[in-house]
Amino acid sequence: MAGILVAKIALNAATYAIDKPYDYTVPEEVADTLRPGMRVVVPFSAGNRHTEGIVLTLEADRPPEPKRKRILTVLDEEPVLDAKALRLALWMRERWFCTVYDAARAMLPAGLYFSLQDRWVLKEGVDQETALAATGKSEQGRQLVELLFAWGGQADVRQLKEAFGTKDPNPALKLLRDKGVLTLETSASRGVGDKVEQVAALAIPPEEAMAQFTGRRRSAPLQYAVVELLCSLGSASAKELCYFTGASSATLRSLAKRGVLTLEQREVFRRVALPEGVEAAGEPQLNEEQQRAYEGLDQLVRSGQPSAALLYGVTGSGKTQVYLKLIRRVLERGGSALVLVPEIALTPQLLRLFSAHFGDQIGVLHSSLRAGERYDEWKRIRTGEARVVIGTRSAVFAPLTRLQLIILDEEQEPTYQSENVPKYHAREVAKYRCVQEKGLLLLSSATPSVESMYRAKQGLYHLFTLRRRYNERPLPPVEIVDMKQELRSGNGTDLSGALKKRLTEMMERGEQSILFLNRRGASRMVSCGECGEVPTCPRCSVYLTYHSANGRLMCHYCGHSEPLPDACPSCGGALNFIGTGTQKVEEELKQAFPQREVLRMDTDTVSATQTHEKLLARFEREKIPILIGTQMVAKGLDFENVTLVGVISADLSLYAEDYRAGERTFSLLTQVVGRAGRGTKGGAALIQTFTPEHDVIRCAARQDYDAFYAQEIELRRLRGCPPFQDLFVLTASARSEAGALRACMRMRQALESWLRQPPLEQLTLRILGPAPASVVKVNDRYRYRLTLACSNTKQIRALVAELLRCAQADKENRGVSVFADVNPLD
């Protein structure tokens, strides 16, 4: 018994309230091969249902526990997560109130996920008469036995549920299992398998092979051709051999039987298609400002100590050139680097640039890759074949070895924060990894987040500034158009007279324009002119958005869709269209410029076949005059021929119910204005707004981040918002509005009771709410929130975690899901 091992396992089936390492006995047959970081199937709970888990540690069974449950199946041949990744999963659990298994799963590509299939099987040697006798007086048991014998002795759980309908088959299953008639078996299938190809290699020396086949050049020309090619190559894929020689697979098998060559299976990677025709680039040439920033950053990397820096540079200042030179030095020293971007739309241009500098050393990770491609890229990164990874948020978990540099481009973007469990922020995960790897975290932006700039000014981050555009190109002049004046002059469209005039001038010169509007669809809502009725989503507390492209009303929260009625369903009155979206602006552009093509880019036009890359490549290649889009067109794009940028409605995000509204609006406007005049032709920008006097609009037009930051940081200080305090938001979601509100009230009462007792009475903590979420009902579930304004300390996180566990275990909260966010986006 002394040699028996115990595995501590994080389980998929464990909810946050009961999440802990569970002990399981390691079977002797796998004791020598099982290691931490491998996934297993184990029995769990009183019903011993089978669930997946990941091994955290292995230790000796002291004292022995003969009744401890055993591991049933080992799913991996080698660990999928190393010790550092497992520590990261434990840290994420404490930081973002998720289970260890949820955190571990987030680090793995979807192709590695297993699907478990439970099925009930009649034990060997049990006949129908014996099985029926075991059922006793159970009518359900008899029905179950008859079904199983009719189905060949086995049935999966789904089949049984369908056969029994509203009746529960579990009592009958338990009865027959206890009587020794049935057993539960679990099979696991992985999302994506390894791709392999057949490889042929010479089994004898080349001289001997040629001596054997020279005399058979005419009698066996195909065999001769195969041998001749292999003599020069040594080995080649069977598919390529057959293609270049005209031989068949039968020819190769014949040569293998004679011992001339061997046929083996070799793993091949499904590669992401890199841009074609890219010439290798030399060392980036930096100006004086860039060189100073590069030298300071490179010194931080070479120090071998964990550090963080903010590279703050105006749009077009050449921040990417600094990245490239930094990464070159990192690779020369044998390290690896990770570059994160906020949008998939940014990867094509960045990929072209990075391919020119680093070639096949690049790995790409983002959600638009096919499962097989993402899985194989993950393996290439893990083996060290890819040492520079470019990707979106989830790429922060890329299994790079000797990681010395992580770059977050446009670090202020909200897309770096996950909206799904675990609700991590890529910046915080990157910071943790840089501490563990003793590397540099480089945050970069023309409009840094208020929190990052505050930390830089406090000396917590190193600050490097680029104040001039690369090659001394001037920032584009910006004109602010007051749309109230347009209405007074009789122009009720979304295109001002000034914008139409500028667009005409650009098209006459053969130049291109980008128009930005951060709302898709045609109209924000439809209203009856007679009774005022507005169509709303039946599952969410929001108005339906009209999409002219398909003539339907759609919900952007749950996806509900219905055709636009000819008249008001309530009174038969005429319908009015209120607000605007990209589809409506596209229609107005086509009316204003009927002879010109307009390209629209939003989530309605981007698809698996019509990707970001294809749309942007077509815009550049075909010199399409106008590109209209949502925030996909606002960041990172660099087109030589784009000389005009127009912002259709700058006020859209300014008055949202969020303390970040001003920051987001300023960032979006500054970024989109910076898309103009990046080439030698110069450029201009135009901002349409109903509030031209607003400070945020004026600062964005001047590209004056410093003035915006000075105002915003004082507002945050007065309101007690980040970076001065953190906001922990506990959300209760239920089908009943009363149930969600009651759960929040009970959490508040429990918290107030705890805070009156030592040592918690010393905590500085403000409790706000319960209050409904900004959209209270989504997909037939009501959401209420309790907000805690305080410092993000270990003691506070432990308090929130205990509150969550109590709420989830509270019998009064049956049917209510409760979860927590830290500084959430909405």
Side-chain angles (χ1 to χ4, degrees):
M1 292 295 288
I4 291 177
L5 289 177
V6 173
K8 291 191 175 293
I9 298 173
L11 299 182
N12 183 25
T15 62
Y16 183 74
I18 58 170
D19 185 43
K20 64 175 185 178
Y22 287 85
D23 290 353
Y24 286 87
T25 299
V26 179
E28 291 181 15
E29 59 269 23
V30 298
D32 293 335
T33 55
L34 187 67
R35 285 173 284 164
M38 292 169 71
R39 291 169 298 173
V40 293
V41 175
V42 296
F44 181 63
S45 73
N48 282 328
R49 66 187 178 100
H50 296 177
T51 188
E52 192 179 321
I54 190 160
V55 178
L56 301 176
T57 60
L58 293 167
E59 54 190 49
D61 187 12
R62 296 195 186 110
E65 286 272 352
K67 292 184 178 179
R68 184 181 288 123
K69 295 177 183 179
R70 292 162 57 88
I71 291 172
L72 300 173
T73 309
V74 178
L75 297 174
D76 298 306
E77 294 180 0
E78 58 182 33
V80 291
L81 295 178
D82 60 15
K84 288 180 180 176
L86 291 174
R87 284 198 295 273
L88 174 57
L90 292 167
W91 177 80
M92 287 175 67
R93 177 187 185 274
E94 189 264 346
R95 195 86 184 181
W96 287 294
F97 313 107
C98 62
T99 67
V100 175
Y101 192 88
D102 283 337
R105 186 180 171 92
M107 300 180 202
L108 300 174
L112 264 180
Y113 295 170
F114 279 96
S115 174
L116 300 186
Q117 182 69 50
D118 288 339
R119 67 177 184 272
W120 289 93
V121 181
L122 287 164
K123 282 194 174 179
E124 194 173 339
V126 175
D127 57 27
Q128 190 165 358
E129 188 178 341
T130 306
L132 287 170
T135 63
K137 296 179 180 179
S138 170
E139 187 58 40
Q140 275 193 330
R142 295 182 68 83
Q143 183 186 349
L144 179 60
V145 168
E146 288 169 1
L147 283 172
L148 284 167
F149 276 94
W151 290 340
Q154 62 180 27
D156 64 43
V157 173
R158 180 185 52 79
Q159 282 178 298
L160 290 172
K161 283 184 178 177
E162 287 176 358
F164 276 78
T166 57
K167 296 178 182 177
D168 182 9
N170 285 317
L173 289 167
K174 187 176 185 301
L175 170 68
L176 291 172
R177 184 191 63 191
D178 294 344
K179 294 281 188 177
V181 173
L182 291 182
T183 184
L184 181 65
E185 293 183 356
T186 301
S187 60
S189 58
R190 208 172 71 191
V192 173
D194 296 321
K195 186 179 180 181
V196 294
E197 67 176 3
Q198 197 172 48
V199 175
L202 275 180
I204 58 178
E207 302 81 11
E208 185 181 331
M210 287 305 296
Q212 276 189 39
F213 282 88
T214 300
R216 305 187 60 197
R217 189 168 188 169
R218 290 189 177 180
S219 60
L222 293 179
Q223 289 188 354
Y224 175 81
V226 169
V227 171
E228 184 183 39
L229 190 56
L230 279 180
C231 283
S232 60
L233 298 176
S235 67
S237 80
K239 187 178 178 181
E240 288 176 348
L241 270 177
C242 293
Y243 177 80
F244 285 110
T245 64
S248 66
S249 54
T251 306
L252 300 186
R253 289 195 298 271
S254 173
L255 289 169
K257 280 182 181 177
R258 295 183 59 179
V260 176
L261 56 83
T262 58
L263 292 172
E264 296 176 350
Q265 297 293 324
R266 179 179 67 186
E267 184 179 1
V268 291
F269 292 133
R270 288 155 282 214
R271 290 298 311 276
V272 177
L274 294 177
E276 296 179 0
V278 177
E279 295 183 7
E283 184 89 4
Q285 299 302 308
L286 307 183
N287 61 28
E288 186 181 337
E289 231 181 11
Q290 289 171 311
Q291 185 65 26
R292 276 200 305 272
Y294 158 73
E295 288 172 358
L297 291 166
D298 191 50
Q299 187 176 352
L300 291 174
V301 177
R302 285 187 285 110
S303 72
Q305 295 300 315
S307 53
L310 175 61
L311 180 61
Y312 160 45
V314 297
T315 55
S317 58
K319 296 183 287 294
T320 308
Q321 300 299 314
V322 177
Y323 307 163
L324 291 169
K325 195 161 184 176
L326 263 179
I327 294 169
R328 275 177 173 262
R329 297 291 94 82
V330 164
L331 295 181
E332 286 170 7
R333 291 192 285 266
S336 59
L338 172 59
V339 182
L340 299 180
V341 294
E343 298 272 356
I344 297 169
L346 301 186
T347 52
Q349 285 195 323
L350 205 61
L351 205 53
R352 177 172 287 276
L353 180 61
F354 273 65
S355 293
H357 285 268
F358 308 116
D360 279 344
Q361 294 186 87
I362 291 176
V364 184
L365 290 175
H366 59 70
S367 58
S368 283
L369 298 181
R370 289 190 288 268
E373 289 176 336
R374 192 176 175 90
Y375 171 47
D376 285 358
E377 287 291 279
W378 180 83
K379 286 192 291 185
R380 286 183 63 242
I381 295 162
R382 199 166 186 237
T383 58
E385 189 176 323
R387 295 168 60 204
V388 180
V389 174
I390 301 171
T392 48
R393 179 181 64 227
S394 59
V396 73
F397 300 114
L400 286 159
T401 53
R402 298 203 62 197
L403 181 59
Q404 294 182 12
L405 175 66
I406 301 180
I407 298 169
L408 259 74
D409 192 40
E410 309 294 358
E411 65 88 24
Q412 80 287 351
E413 286 301 320
T415 48
Y416 283 125
Q417 185 156 346
S418 171
E419 295 179 358
N420 302 316
V421 176
K423 300 194 173 189
Y424 66 92
H425 197 297
R427 180 175 57 227
E428 302 305 311
V429 176
K431 199 181 295 183
Y432 175 90
R433 291 197 70 184
C434 284
V435 169
Q436 298 302 305
E437 303 279 355
K438 296 182 170 54
L440 169 66
L441 169 62
L442 176 56
L443 309 173
S444 173
S445 179
T447 57
S449 66
V450 171
E451 293 91 336
S452 292
M453 181 56 79
Y454 178 77
R455 291 187 180 105
K457 288 185 179 291
Q458 294 294 308
L460 299 174
Y461 297 163
H462 300 269
L463 179 61
F464 299 90
T465 306
L466 304 176
R467 298 201 175 274
R468 299 195 306 274
R469 271 193 158 190
Y470 188 61
N471 292 340
E472 304 298 327
R473 292 171 187 150
L475 287 165
V478 180
E479 178 184 352
I480 298 177
V481 177
D482 186 353
M483 293 303 286
K484 295 194 297 291
Q485 295 292 345
E486 292 290 317
L487 282 174
R488 291 188 190 109
S489 65
N491 179 11
T493 71
D494 298 294
L495 305 176
S496 65
L499 179 58
K500 287 179 185 175
K501 182 182 175 184
R502 289 290 187 96
L503 287 170
T504 303
E505 292 171 0
M506 299 303 141
M507 287 188 275
E508 287 173 352
R509 294 205 296 263
E511 295 167 1
Q512 293 169 281
S513 306
I514 291 177
L515 301 184
F516 165 71
L517 173 62
N518 205 22
R519 176 176 284 142
R520 62 192 177 100
S523 298
R524 182 167 57 88
M525 65 181 188
V526 175
S527 170
C528 174
E530 301 294 329
C531 68
E533 180 84 9
V534 178
T536 57
C537 176
R539 297 197 291 259
C540 309
S541 54
V542 293
Y543 299 131
L544 293 173
T545 300
Y546 174 58
H547 285 242
S548 58
N550 58 4
R552 298 184 73 84
L553 297 169
M554 299 178 70
C555 175
H556 290 175
Y557 285 85
C558 72
H560 170 79
S561 170
E562 60 186 57
L564 177 72
D566 296 327
C568 174
S570 298
C571 72
L575 297 174
N576 296 325
F577 298 93
I578 301 168
T580 191
T582 49
Q583 289 181 14
K584 185 179 176 185
V585 175
E586 181 186 25
E587 291 165 8
E588 291 179 355
L589 285 165
K590 287 178 177 177
Q591 288 174 1
F593 308 104
Q595 306 302 318
R596 302 287 187 167
E597 186 175 1
V598 177
L599 190 65
R600 176 164 58 89
M601 185 166 154
D602 53 31
T603 51
D604 294 320
T605 61
V606 172
S607 63
T609 53
Q610 190 79 336
T611 60
H612 303 88
E613 293 95 324
K614 288 182 180 178
L615 285 168
L616 293 172
R618 186 166 166 253
F619 174 67
E620 184 175 26
R621 183 180 64 251
E622 298 179 17
K623 297 283 190 292
I624 294 172
I626 303 171
L627 172 66
I628 168 77
T630 53
Q631 61 182 13
M632 295 178 182
V633 304
K635 300 179 285 286
L637 304 183
D638 193 348
F639 295 114
E640 176 84 15
N641 200 42
V642 171
T643 54
L644 175 68
V645 164
V647 179
I648 298 298
S649 183
D651 315 282
L652 271 182
S653 58
L654 198 51
Y655 301 105
E657 298 174 7
D658 185 356
Y659 69 89
R660 295 189 187 89
E663 179 183 3
R664 285 181 184 162
T665 302
F666 176 84
S667 177
L668 272 173
L669 294 180
T670 304
Q671 293 290 343
V672 75
V673 164
R675 298 311 104 207
R678 298 175 78 89
T680 55
K681 298 176 182 178
L686 190 144
I687 297 175
Q688 297 184 167
T689 173
F690 284 96
T691 53
E693 69 287 344
H694 199 289
D695 288 337
V696 171
I697 303 284
R698 292 195 168 278
C699 287
R702 298 196 307 269
Q703 302 267 293
D704 191 350
Y705 175 83
D706 296 329
F708 165 75
Y709 172 80
Q711 294 175 22
E712 186 68 15
I713 198 69
E714 288 307 313
L715 282 172
R716 298 278 185 96
R717 195 190 306 273
L718 288 169
R719 295 178 65 180
C721 294
F724 300 102
Q725 278 188 319
D726 291 290
L727 302 176
F728 288 78
V729 179
L730 292 105
T731 302
S733 166
R735 290 197 171 275
S736 152
E737 187 170 11
L741 178 57
R742 184 173 60 249
C744 275
M745 284 300 301
R746 289 175 69 82
M747 283 193 289
R748 175 163 188 144
Q749 290 163 2
L751 191 56
E752 287 173 338
S753 171
W754 295 352
L755 291 174
R756 288 193 290 267
Q757 301 168 15
L760 298 180
E761 61 185 354
Q762 305 298 323
L763 289 177
T764 304
L765 181 69
R766 274 193 307 145
I767 307 175
L768 307 171
S774 54
V775 178
V776 66
K777 182 184 174 189
V778 173
N779 217 0
D780 284 330
R781 291 189 72 87
Y782 292 89
R783 304 179 302 164
Y784 274 76
R785 290 176 167 172
L786 193 67
T787 302
L788 315 183
C790 51
S791 297
N792 189 349
T793 64
K794 191 167 186 175
Q795 188 179 20
I796 290 290
R797 291 195 297 272
L799 177 67
V800 172
E802 183 59 25
L803 189 60
L804 268 182
R805 281 190 284 267
C806 290
Q808 291 180 0
D810 189 346
K811 291 180 181 178
E812 293 288 327
N813 289 340
R814 193 164 291 154
V816 180
S817 65
V818 182
F819 54 90
D821 284 342
V822 185
N823 299 326
L825 296 175
D826 56 339

